[in-house]
Tab-separated table of all heavy atoms in Angstrom:
chain	number	residue	atom	x	y	z
A	704	VAL	N	-20.187	-0.606	22.532
A	704	VAL	CA	-19.848	0.187	23.702
A	704	VAL	C	-20.133	-0.640	25.014
A	704	VAL	O	-21.310	-1.226	25.185
A	704	VAL	CB	-20.603	1.485	23.733
A	704	VAL	CG1	-20.217	2.238	24.944
A	704	VAL	CG2	-20.207	2.267	22.531
A	705	ILE	N	-19.284	-0.575	25.965
A	705	ILE	CA	-19.486	-1.241	27.291
A	705	ILE	C	-19.592	-0.110	28.318
A	705	ILE	O	-18.691	0.696	28.459
A	705	ILE	CB	-18.354	-2.167	27.634
A	705	ILE	CG1	-18.171	-3.282	26.575
A	705	ILE	CG2	-18.515	-2.773	29.043
A	705	ILE	CD1	-16.994	-4.096	26.629
A	707	THR	N	-19.867	1.325	32.148
A	707	THR	CA	-19.492	1.016	33.504
A	707	THR	C	-19.394	2.267	34.318
A	707	THR	O	-18.936	3.278	33.818
A	707	THR	CB	-18.151	0.250	33.618
A	707	THR	OG1	-18.239	-0.909	32.786
A	707	THR	CG2	-17.824	-0.160	35.069
A	709	LEU	N	-17.865	4.664	36.996
A	709	LEU	CA	-16.735	4.980	37.861
A	709	LEU	C	-17.228	5.596	39.124
A	709	LEU	O	-17.777	6.696	39.105
A	709	LEU	CB	-15.772	6.001	37.089
A	709	LEU	CG	-14.970	5.452	35.918
A	709	LEU	CD1	-14.029	6.496	35.364
A	709	LEU	CD2	-14.161	4.222	36.200
A	713	ILE	N	-10.107	8.527	39.296
A	713	ILE	CA	-9.366	7.538	38.534
A	713	ILE	C	-8.041	7.185	39.037
A	713	ILE	O	-7.423	6.176	38.675
A	713	ILE	CB	-9.209	8.197	37.026
A	713	ILE	CG1	-8.430	9.528	37.068
A	713	ILE	CG2	-10.479	8.240	36.380
A	713	ILE	CD1	-8.224	10.112	35.677
A	716	TYR	N	-8.127	3.815	42.131
A	716	TYR	CA	-8.282	2.388	41.763
A	716	TYR	C	-6.968	1.615	41.974
A	716	TYR	O	-5.888	2.064	41.478
A	716	TYR	CB	-8.928	2.137	40.372
A	716	TYR	CG	-10.323	2.553	40.269
A	716	TYR	CD1	-10.626	3.860	39.986
A	716	TYR	CD2	-11.258	1.574	40.486
A	716	TYR	CE1	-11.981	4.168	39.812
A	716	TYR	CE2	-12.642	1.920	40.349
A	716	TYR	CZ	-12.971	3.250	40.043
A	716	TYR	OH	-14.329	3.633	39.950
A	718	THR	N	-6.440	-1.470	40.724
A	718	THR	CA	-6.165	-2.197	39.477
A	718	THR	C	-6.556	-1.320	38.348
A	718	THR	O	-7.526	-0.536	38.390
A	718	THR	CB	-6.973	-3.520	39.499
A	718	THR	OG1	-8.360	-3.207	39.653
A	718	THR	CG2	-6.519	-4.446	40.538
A	719	MET	N	-5.870	-1.507	37.225
A	719	MET	CA	-6.187	-0.689	35.973
A	719	MET	C	-7.176	-1.502	35.161
A	719	MET	O	-6.900	-2.155	34.217
A	719	MET	CB	-4.897	-0.507	35.203
A	719	MET	CG	-5.007	0.511	34.047
A	719	MET	SD	-5.543	2.112	34.523
A	719	MET	CE	-3.973	2.647	35.310
A	720	SER	N	-8.453	-1.233	35.460
A	720	SER	CA	-9.532	-1.892	34.691
A	720	SER	C	-9.710	-1.200	33.400
A	720	SER	O	-9.235	-0.084	33.230
A	720	SER	CB	-10.853	-1.876	35.477
A	720	SER	OG	-11.186	-0.560	35.708
A	721	PRO	N	-10.342	-1.853	32.380
A	721	PRO	CA	-10.517	-1.201	31.062
A	721	PRO	C	-11.166	0.260	31.110
A	721	PRO	O	-10.694	1.110	30.472
A	721	PRO	CB	-11.381	-2.119	30.244
A	721	PRO	CG	-11.090	-3.481	30.921
A	721	PRO	CD	-10.923	-3.173	32.376
A	722	GLU	N	-12.200	0.380	31.913
A	722	GLU	CA	-12.901	1.644	31.940
A	722	GLU	C	-12.020	2.782	32.532
A	722	GLU	O	-11.989	3.882	32.130
A	722	GLU	CB	-14.245	1.561	32.651
A	722	GLU	CG	-14.158	1.167	34.175
A	722	GLU	CD	-14.192	-0.333	34.339
A	722	GLU	OE1	-13.912	-1.056	33.427
A	722	GLU	OE2	-14.444	-0.713	35.509
A	723	VAL	N	-11.222	2.313	33.602
A	723	VAL	CA	-10.284	3.355	34.236
A	723	VAL	C	-9.188	3.739	33.314
A	723	VAL	O	-8.869	4.839	33.172
A	723	VAL	CB	-9.710	2.718	35.543
A	723	VAL	CG1	-8.661	3.698	36.120
A	723	VAL	CG2	-10.884	2.519	36.618
A	724	ALA	N	-8.624	2.706	32.617
A	724	ALA	CA	-7.613	2.969	31.657
A	724	ALA	C	-8.071	3.881	30.568
A	724	ALA	O	-7.355	4.866	30.065
A	724	ALA	CB	-7.058	1.688	31.062
A	725	ALA	N	-9.306	3.619	30.038
A	725	ALA	CA	-9.824	4.425	28.931
A	725	ALA	C	-10.062	5.885	29.444
A	725	ALA	O	-9.686	6.865	28.636
A	725	ALA	CB	-11.143	3.854	28.477
A	726	ALA	N	-10.486	6.075	30.603
A	726	ALA	CA	-10.765	7.394	31.230
A	726	ALA	C	-9.403	8.108	31.368
A	726	ALA	O	-9.225	9.322	30.950
A	726	ALA	CB	-11.514	7.365	32.475
A	727	LYS	N	-8.422	7.460	31.967
A	727	LYS	CA	-7.071	8.021	32.183
A	727	LYS	C	-6.475	8.485	30.888
A	727	LYS	O	-5.889	9.602	30.763
A	727	LYS	CB	-6.137	7.010	32.890
A	727	LYS	CG	-6.357	7.020	34.384
A	727	LYS	CD	-5.158	6.237	35.085
A	727	LYS	CE	-5.189	6.502	36.541
A	727	LYS	NZ	-4.033	5.804	37.175
A	728	LYS	N	-6.562	7.636	29.852
A	728	LYS	CA	-5.936	7.986	28.510
A	728	LYS	C	-6.556	9.228	27.959
A	728	LYS	O	-5.846	10.146	27.488
A	728	LYS	CB	-5.975	6.869	27.565
A	728	LYS	CG	-4.949	5.726	27.829
A	728	LYS	CD	-5.018	4.629	26.705
A	728	LYS	CE	-6.199	3.729	27.028
A	728	LYS	NZ	-6.089	2.585	26.085
A	729	ALA	N	-7.871	9.340	28.076
A	729	ALA	CA	-8.565	10.521	27.514
A	729	ALA	C	-8.198	11.820	28.270
A	729	ALA	O	-8.082	12.880	27.709
A	729	ALA	CB	-10.051	10.319	27.642
A	730	VAL	N	-7.988	11.651	29.647
A	730	VAL	CA	-7.592	12.847	30.417
A	730	VAL	C	-6.173	13.185	30.073
A	730	VAL	O	-5.812	14.486	29.967
A	730	VAL	CB	-7.717	12.498	31.916
A	730	VAL	CG1	-7.086	13.666	32.847
A	730	VAL	CG2	-9.218	12.415	32.301
A	731	GLN	N	-5.342	12.287	30.018
A	731	GLN	CA	-3.856	12.554	29.683
A	731	GLN	C	-3.695	13.212	28.337
A	731	GLN	O	-2.822	14.043	28.140
A	731	GLN	CB	-3.079	11.260	29.830
A	731	GLN	CG	-2.824	10.775	31.277
A	731	GLN	CD	-2.385	9.332	31.274
A	731	GLN	OE1	-2.173	8.693	30.269
A	731	GLN	NE2	-2.173	8.831	32.480
A	732	ARG	N	-4.584	12.865	27.420
A	732	ARG	CA	-4.445	13.412	26.012
A	732	ARG	C	-5.176	14.721	25.886
A	732	ARG	O	-5.143	15.384	24.866
A	732	ARG	CB	-5.062	12.454	25.063
A	732	ARG	CG	-4.230	11.202	24.829
A	732	ARG	CD	-4.629	10.385	23.587
A	732	ARG	NE	-5.989	9.959	23.607
A	732	ARG	CZ	-6.325	8.623	23.770
A	732	ARG	NH1	-5.396	7.729	23.827
A	732	ARG	NH2	-7.551	8.278	23.853
A	733	GLY	N	-5.871	15.208	27.019
A	733	GLY	CA	-6.516	16.474	27.017
A	733	GLY	C	-7.920	16.382	26.321
A	733	GLY	O	-8.578	17.427	26.083
A	734	GLN	N	-8.376	15.193	26.060
A	734	GLN	CA	-9.679	15.058	25.424
A	734	GLN	C	-10.767	15.109	26.340
A	734	GLN	O	-11.970	15.434	26.080
A	734	GLN	CB	-9.767	13.643	24.707
A	734	GLN	CG	-8.811	13.545	23.536
A	734	GLN	CD	-8.557	12.169	23.083
A	734	GLN	OE1	-8.511	11.147	23.901
A	734	GLN	NE2	-8.618	11.948	21.801
A	735	LYS	N	-10.604	14.819	27.629
A	735	LYS	CA	-11.500	14.910	28.764
A	735	LYS	C	-10.958	15.609	29.973
A	735	LYS	O	-9.720	15.486	30.125
A	735	LYS	CB	-12.066	13.501	29.095
A	735	LYS	CG	-12.947	12.807	27.979
A	735	LYS	CD	-14.340	13.381	27.984
A	735	LYS	CE	-15.244	12.605	27.057
A	735	LYS	NZ	-16.609	13.118	27.025
A	736	THR	N	-11.770	16.115	30.858
A	736	THR	CA	-11.221	16.607	32.149
A	736	THR	C	-11.637	15.544	33.191
A	736	THR	O	-12.520	14.685	33.022
A	736	THR	CB	-11.977	17.910	32.514
A	736	THR	OG1	-13.345	17.679	32.686
A	736	THR	CG2	-11.708	18.996	31.435
A	740	VAL	N	-15.107	12.596	33.812
A	740	VAL	CA	-14.996	11.197	33.835
A	740	VAL	C	-15.220	10.600	35.255
A	740	VAL	O	-15.702	9.456	35.426
A	740	VAL	CB	-13.727	10.616	33.221
A	740	VAL	CG1	-13.675	10.973	31.745
A	740	VAL	CG2	-12.453	11.134	33.983
A	741	GLU	N	-14.734	11.326	36.278
A	741	GLU	CA	-14.815	10.750	37.608
A	741	GLU	C	-16.226	10.710	38.142
A	741	GLU	O	-16.975	11.679	37.952
A	741	GLU	CB	-13.830	11.424	38.531
A	741	GLU	CG	-12.396	11.324	38.181
A	741	GLU	CD	-11.416	11.954	39.127
A	741	GLU	OE1	-11.835	12.894	39.853
A	741	GLU	OE2	-10.289	11.529	39.178
A	744	LEU	N	-20.735	7.638	34.453
A	744	LEU	CA	-20.981	6.327	33.635
A	744	LEU	C	-20.057	6.454	32.440
A	744	LEU	O	-20.246	7.334	31.568
A	744	LEU	CB	-22.478	6.278	33.183
A	744	LEU	CG	-22.828	4.977	32.480
A	744	LEU	CD1	-22.685	3.802	33.401
A	744	LEU	CD2	-24.237	5.102	31.921
A	745	ILE	N	-19.139	5.550	32.329
A	745	ILE	CA	-18.131	5.485	31.228
A	745	ILE	C	-18.528	4.542	30.200
A	745	ILE	O	-18.816	3.370	30.444
A	745	ILE	CB	-16.722	5.085	31.809
A	745	ILE	CG1	-16.262	6.154	32.797
A	745	ILE	CG2	-15.750	4.894	30.741
A	745	ILE	CD1	-16.018	7.556	32.126
A	746	GLY	N	-18.460	4.940	28.930
A	746	GLY	CA	-18.687	4.041	27.804
A	746	GLY	C	-17.453	3.817	27.021
A	746	GLY	O	-16.779	4.770	26.607
A	747	TYR	N	-16.950	2.564	26.950
A	747	TYR	CA	-15.689	2.354	26.242
A	747	TYR	C	-15.767	1.161	25.310
A	747	TYR	O	-16.675	0.406	25.312
A	747	TYR	CB	-14.570	2.033	27.337
A	747	TYR	CG	-14.657	0.669	28.027
A	747	TYR	CD1	-14.062	-0.451	27.504
A	747	TYR	CD2	-15.396	0.590	29.170
A	747	TYR	CE1	-14.173	-1.645	28.130
A	747	TYR	CE2	-15.447	-0.669	29.900
A	747	TYR	CZ	-14.855	-1.773	29.280
A	747	TYR	OH	-14.931	-2.934	29.916
A	748	VAL	N	-14.806	1.126	24.327
A	748	VAL	CA	-14.731	0.180	23.348
A	748	VAL	C	-13.377	-0.456	23.372
A	748	VAL	O	-12.357	0.197	23.571
A	748	VAL	CB	-14.929	0.736	21.935
A	748	VAL	CG1	-14.748	-0.280	20.859
A	748	VAL	CG2	-16.380	1.332	21.809
A	749	VAL	N	-13.255	-1.771	23.228
A	749	VAL	CA	-11.979	-2.518	23.183
A	749	VAL	C	-11.486	-2.503	21.737
A	749	VAL	O	-12.151	-3.143	20.857
A	749	VAL	CB	-12.081	-3.991	23.732
A	749	VAL	CG1	-10.721	-4.654	23.680
A	749	VAL	CG2	-12.505	-3.904	25.212
A	750	THR	N	-10.351	-1.776	21.488
A	750	THR	CA	-9.841	-1.682	20.077
A	750	THR	C	-8.787	-2.758	19.830
A	750	THR	O	-8.451	-3.634	20.695
A	750	THR	CB	-9.216	-0.259	19.937
A	750	THR	OG1	-8.079	-0.135	20.718
A	750	THR	CG2	-10.222	0.795	20.372
A	755	SER	N	-2.819	-5.764	26.584
A	755	SER	CA	-3.960	-6.185	27.468
A	755	SER	C	-5.210	-5.493	27.059
A	755	SER	O	-5.253	-4.561	26.240
A	755	SER	CB	-3.620	-5.767	28.880
A	755	SER	OG	-3.535	-4.381	28.980
A	756	VAL	N	-6.346	-5.963	27.640
A	756	VAL	CA	-7.687	-5.296	27.411
A	756	VAL	C	-7.657	-3.942	27.798
A	756	VAL	O	-8.181	-3.022	27.167
A	756	VAL	CB	-8.772	-6.153	28.104
A	756	VAL	CG1	-10.133	-5.457	27.941
A	756	VAL	CG2	-8.871	-7.568	27.563
A	757	SER	N	-7.020	-3.613	29.010
A	757	SER	CA	-6.959	-2.180	29.450
A	757	SER	C	-6.214	-1.390	28.529
A	757	SER	O	-6.647	-0.134	28.261
A	757	SER	CB	-6.359	-2.207	30.830
A	757	SER	OG	-7.193	-2.911	31.757
A	758	GLU	N	-5.132	-1.848	27.965
A	758	GLU	CA	-4.393	-1.046	26.995
A	758	GLU	C	-5.186	-0.727	25.745
A	758	GLU	O	-5.068	0.288	25.086
A	758	GLU	CB	-3.078	-1.736	26.640
A	758	GLU	CG	-2.054	-1.766	27.748
A	758	GLU	CD	-0.787	-2.480	27.311
A	758	GLU	OE1	-0.662	-2.904	26.133
A	758	GLU	OE2	0.117	-2.603	28.157
A	759	ARG	N	-6.065	-1.643	25.319
A	759	ARG	CA	-6.837	-1.538	24.172
A	759	ARG	C	-8.126	-0.704	24.268
A	759	ARG	O	-8.804	-0.390	23.372
A	759	ARG	CB	-7.144	-2.918	23.521
A	759	ARG	CG	-5.982	-3.803	23.256
A	759	ARG	CD	-6.241	-4.861	22.240
A	759	ARG	NE	-7.230	-5.743	22.663
A	759	ARG	CZ	-7.036	-6.846	23.469
A	759	ARG	NH1	-5.822	-7.105	23.987
A	759	ARG	NH2	-7.975	-7.687	23.873
A	760	ALA	N	-8.546	-0.446	25.555
A	760	ALA	CA	-9.778	0.150	25.831
A	760	ALA	C	-9.678	1.680	25.496
A	760	ALA	O	-8.750	2.369	25.904
A	760	ALA	CB	-10.249	-0.011	27.269
A	761	GLU	N	-10.706	2.228	24.798
A	761	GLU	CA	-10.756	3.618	24.444
A	761	GLU	C	-12.233	4.045	24.750
A	761	GLU	O	-13.160	3.340	24.551
A	761	GLU	CB	-10.455	3.932	23.094
A	761	GLU	CG	-9.015	3.690	22.643
A	761	GLU	CD	-8.104	4.847	23.128
A	761	GLU	OE1	-8.619	5.792	23.689
A	761	GLU	OE2	-6.829	4.727	22.954
A	762	LEU	N	-12.361	5.319	25.234
A	762	LEU	CA	-13.777	5.845	25.405
A	762	LEU	C	-14.395	5.844	24.049
A	762	LEU	O	-13.774	5.975	22.990
A	762	LEU	CB	-13.640	7.286	25.897
A	762	LEU	CG	-13.202	7.393	27.359
A	762	LEU	CD1	-13.349	8.883	27.820
A	762	LEU	CD2	-13.867	6.540	28.348
A	763	GLU	N	-15.761	5.649	24.127
A	763	GLU	CA	-16.472	5.423	22.875
A	763	GLU	C	-16.172	6.455	21.782
A	763	GLU	O	-15.958	6.074	20.650
A	763	GLU	CB	-18.020	5.522	23.204
A	763	GLU	CG	-18.916	5.502	22.000
A	763	GLU	CD	-20.373	5.703	22.421
A	763	GLU	OE1	-20.650	5.948	23.664
A	763	GLU	OE2	-21.223	5.752	21.553
A	764	GLU	N	-16.126	7.705	22.079
A	764	GLU	CA	-15.994	8.778	21.081
A	764	GLU	C	-14.676	8.744	20.435
A	764	GLU	O	-14.452	9.451	19.383
A	764	GLU	CB	-16.373	10.176	21.655
A	764	GLU	CG	-15.642	10.571	22.875
A	764	GLU	CD	-16.370	10.302	24.168
A	764	GLU	OE1	-16.814	9.076	24.335
A	764	GLU	OE2	-16.586	11.193	24.920
A	765	PHE	N	-13.665	8.184	21.077
A	765	PHE	CA	-12.296	8.135	20.558
A	765	PHE	C	-11.863	6.815	19.910
A	765	PHE	O	-10.729	6.741	19.453
A	765	PHE	CB	-11.291	8.573	21.670
A	765	PHE	CG	-11.716	9.754	22.384
A	765	PHE	CD1	-11.882	9.755	23.678
A	765	PHE	CD2	-11.980	10.939	21.665
A	765	PHE	CE1	-12.270	10.902	24.426
A	765	PHE	CE2	-12.341	12.104	22.371
A	765	PHE	CZ	-12.498	12.095	23.706
A	766	ALA	N	-12.784	5.883	19.928
A	766	ALA	CA	-12.475	4.522	19.322
A	766	ALA	C	-12.649	4.570	17.809
A	766	ALA	O	-13.641	4.974	17.276
A	766	ALA	CB	-13.420	3.442	19.901
Side-chain angles (χ1 to χ4, degrees):
V704 179
I705 301 167
T707 304
L709 288 185
I713 55 178
Y716 287 88
T718 57
M719 187 63 71
S720 60
E722 63 271 18
V723 174
K727 274 193 169 184
K728 281 185 281 188
V730 171
Q731 288 166 0
R732 292 194 296 250
Q734 295 167 315
K735 292 281 187 180
T736 65
V740 298
E741 292 184 339
L744 183 66
I745 295 296
Y747 70 91
V748 175
V749 178
T750 69
S755 67
V756 174
S757 293
E758 288 179 4
R759 301 200 301 277
E761 291 284 355
L762 294 186
E763 173 187 1
E764 54 263 53
F765 310 124

